[in-house]
Amino acid sequence: EKTLILYGSPMSDPNVHAHRRAPLFLLGGANGMLPGNMHLKAPDGTPMADVFLSLLHKFGVDQRSFGDSAAAFPLYV
């Protein structure tokens, strides 16, 4: 439970470099920073960078934006 594994593809359609609606899996508890046993679905049009921004916040990085992020994505229910 001290590990976090991030698995996914940054492109849902590589022919047009589309990076929306791409599956992303987070495995592990990251030393208690992330809750487990959850399935979250982002609203259509949510940039994947929102999840990355949230992860940076969880790990203590004070970052205002990441790539094309619009806002931090809530990693809890």
Side-chain angles (χ1 to χ4, degrees), residues 12-76:
S12 60
D13 184 354
N15 293 319
V16 294
H17 286 222
H19 55 277
R20 299 188 191 269
R21 297 185 52 95
L24 184 65
F25 297 94
L26 299 174
L27 305 155
N31 203 27
M33 291 185 202
L34 298 174
N37 298 322
M38 295 181 2
H39 174 264
L40 301 174
K41 182 184 182 309
D44 287 345
T46 302
M48 184 184 286
D50 286 3
V51 174
F52 295 141
L53 180 63
S54 296
L55 289 173
L56 287 172
H57 292 168
K58 284 284 190 182
F59 295 128
V61 177
D62 186 23
Q63 186 79 20
R64 298 181 94 185
S65 65
F66 183 85
D68 65 345
S69 64
F73 182 76
L75 297 173
Y76 51 86

